[in-house]
Amino acid sequence: MSTKRGKAIISPKVRRLAADIHGATIRKFTAAAWKILAHLRLASPPRGELVVFDQAGSDRLLAYAFDGLHPAVLPVRYEEVYAGPAVLWRCLLNLRHIRELKLRQLYKVYLLSCLELTGARVVATWVDNSVYFQELSRLYPAQFIAMQNGYRTIQSVTNPSQHPRGWLSDAARWGSVLRLPHFFCFGAHTEELYRRYGHEIGKAYPLGSFLAGYYKTELDPGRAPIEHDLCLISEWRRGIMMGQDYPKVRRGLDALHANLARYAVDRKVRVTVALCSGDPDEAAAFRALFAGAAQLIAHERFSCYRTMDRSDVSISFFSTAAFEAFGWGSKTLLCNYSGDELLTCPIPGPWSLEGGDYLAFCDKLDALRAMPREVFEAESAQARRQLMGFDPERPPHREIRRLAESFLEGSC
């Protein structure tokens, strides 16, 4: 910016940048407004003493934890927007909770009003990293229960603005401090991580993965027979593998895939790929990588669990599924070739590899394949308790139901 005769002159480049930012803000607001109008309902939300917050993952909670408890589901992603007279009136009353005039603050007021109208005494969610859920737990007098749905790193709780999914606001801003009154987390490591960086965790239940616990206690308990040599847990995403998203992750996956394909030929072992989507380009990519020699397992609910459970060794970059298999005691290898140390298994051991060449990969995988399952279970016992708990007597789906029932009955 320069001055001429005492007046500020803004360069055309700065003007264009300001116009672009303003235009993007208007477009974002307009898109959200149209989405809301398209799903508007002149009614109040359904009532229920137990409310599942967010339709995402609600089918899992309804089917495996809350069956028969008749919970109501509150959509929070504009699938349905309630605008009955009672909702609008409560929104007016709740405007006092607005901290700044922004769309997300107005939407928080709307969600608070909806919760009040449901009459919920227990609010549960599959989406533990929902800022709305966390913020409402400060404002609405009910018991809030969250289930961890994905692995968290230090960056997730310390540098939120740089987190790939951008789900946490910067420090000193709305939602910058996580608040989870009842938190069903993967392991003690997650609880310690959140508490270390100043987040508000009321009571943690480090019992492992909800879905993995359900699978291993209800669908396929005990030790399964080995049917596959090596299971590659696919982390293929179109935006990463065929676009420009997350180049570090792409680098890590490319290196892992190349090493494993070479290893399969050199050691004459068959690789089974547990696909993570129905995208035909994903299957085509792995057929090309393994020259048609790999077995591809179609993506369905629990298909990845079943494949990992029946494999001698499961291999991954940083998939939550790999940590889930590790929690059962299955031989697992997490390989980080991305160059980002935050994507390395937090507790090193025979189950982890950071960097190195092809020979280092061979040595690590050879040793893991030669290790008896009982030895692996013994060596990994402490790390598994920290990273991904699993107790067949207390799987998360049963414990969440027990806790919700105790709150509804007033016994807890």
Side-chain angles (χ1 to χ4, degrees):
M1 184 172 71
S2 60
T3 60
K4 185 178 181 180
R5 294 183 180 178
K7 294 183 179 180
I9 300 175
I10 301 175
S11 70
K13 184 177 180 180
V14 173
R15 279 202 183 99
R16 286 195 299 272
L17 179 60
D20 289 344
I21 293 173
H22 179 70
T25 302
I26 294 297
R27 287 193 297 274
K28 184 177 179 181
F29 184 87
T30 303
W34 277 114
K35 187 180 289 187
I36 290 172
L37 289 173
H39 298 90
L40 206 62
R41 290 189 57 190
L42 300 179
S44 294
R47 292 186 60 82
E49 291 191 320
L50 171 60
V51 168
V52 176
F53 186 90
D54 201 333
Q55 280 191 350
S58 63
D59 57 330
R60 299 164 183 181
L61 289 173
L62 295 178
Y64 308 139
F66 299 148
D67 181 43
L69 297 183
H70 310 294
V73 177
L74 179 62
V76 303
R77 306 183 189 222
Y78 311 127
E79 302 98 329
E80 289 184 334
V81 180
Y82 300 100
V87 177
L88 298 178
W89 174 245
R90 284 188 178 268
C91 284
L92 288 173
L93 296 177
N94 285 323
L95 285 176
R96 67 186 186 278
H97 296 295
I98 288 182
R99 300 181 186 177
E100 52 187 338
L101 191 58
K102 290 191 174 182
L103 181 61
R104 64 188 181 189
Q105 288 286 324
L106 293 172
Y107 200 62
K108 176 188 72 175
V109 163
Y110 160 77
L111 292 174
L112 173 61
S113 302
C114 286
L115 270 184
E116 290 174 347
L117 288 170
T118 65
R121 295 171 56 202
V122 178
V123 183
T125 190
W126 178 263
V127 189
D128 63 294
N129 53 358
S130 165
V131 177
Y132 287 117
F133 178 86
Q134 296 156 15
E135 192 74 356
L136 291 173
S137 73
R138 294 182 171 96
L139 301 175
Y140 182 73
Q143 299 290 347
F144 281 73
I145 305 172
M147 180 71 238
Q148 184 177 352
N149 63 55
Y151 214 83
R152 307 288 177 238
T153 68
I154 292 175
Q155 191 173 24
S156 305
V157 296
T158 57
N159 296 296
S161 63
Q162 299 176 28
H163 189 270
R165 293 176 184 165
W167 53 266
L168 192 60
S169 304
D170 290 325
R173 291 180 61 82
W174 174 75
S176 61
V177 176
L178 290 165
R179 185 177 191 272
L180 297 167
H182 295 275
F183 185 29
F184 282 79
C185 56
F186 287 167
H189 172 77
T190 305
E191 178 186 358
E192 292 166 3
L193 181 67
Y194 280 46
R195 293 192 190 280
R196 186 190 317 154
Y197 291 101
H199 299 295
E200 300 176 21
I201 306 299
K203 185 174 182 179
Y205 307 79
L207 298 175
S209 161
F210 180 98
L211 280 182
Y214 179 84
Y215 175 82
K216 283 305 295 176
T217 56
E218 308 294 344
L219 301 183
D220 200 359
R223 183 174 296 184
I226 299 300
E227 299 174 0
H228 312 284
D229 295 328
L230 303 175
C231 169
L232 174 62
I233 304 165
S234 172
E235 295 162 87
W236 193 96
R237 300 292 187 276
R238 175 173 289 276
I240 297 173
M241 306 307 292
M242 301 183 72
Q244 303 299 318
D245 296 350
Y246 314 134
K248 287 184 179 180
V249 174
R250 170 67 184 271
R251 181 166 62 245
L253 289 173
D254 282 344
L256 171 59
H257 294 165
N259 281 347
L260 184 57
R262 182 177 173 186
Y263 183 93
V265 173
D266 290 348
R267 297 296 192 270
K268 296 180 174 57
V269 294
R270 188 173 175 85
V271 175
T272 300
V273 181
L275 300 176
C276 65
S277 76
D279 191 325
D281 285 331
E282 179 189 8
F286 285 114
R287 288 193 192 98
L289 175 68
F290 294 102
Q295 180 183 5
L296 306 185
I297 304 298
H299 174 67
E300 299 173 352
R301 182 166 290 185
F302 302 119
S303 60
C304 183
Y305 292 152
R306 190 181 190 282
T307 306
M308 293 188 302
D309 203 23
R310 284 164 167 70
S311 297
D312 182 35
V313 179
S314 297
I315 302 166
S316 166
F317 168 28
F318 200 74
S319 168
T320 296
F323 285 99
E324 290 171 317
F326 181 66
W328 300 331
S330 294
K331 290 193 289 183
T332 308
L333 181 59
L334 292 141
C335 303
N336 180 18
Y337 293 107
S338 69
D340 186 345
E341 63 180 12
L342 294 180
L343 298 177
T344 297
C345 180
I347 302 177
W351 49 86
S352 66
L353 176 65
E354 183 174 10
D357 57 14
Y358 172 66
L359 291 179
F361 176 81
C362 291
D363 290 344
K364 180 70 78 167
L365 188 50
D366 285 344
L368 200 52
R369 292 177 61 207
M371 184 182 295
R373 170 76 176 261
E374 293 76 12
V375 174
F376 181 84
E377 288 178 344
E379 289 195 16
S380 63
Q382 184 175 354
R384 288 188 285 115
R385 282 193 296 271
Q386 288 289 312
L387 300 177
M388 183 65 72
F390 173 67
D391 181 352
E393 300 301 319
R394 297 184 65 209
H397 68 284
R398 294 181 194 166
E399 292 300 304
I400 288 176
R401 182 187 182 94
R402 181 199 62 75
L403 185 64
E405 286 180 327
S406 68
F407 287 142
L408 293 172
E409 295 166 0
S411 60
C412 186

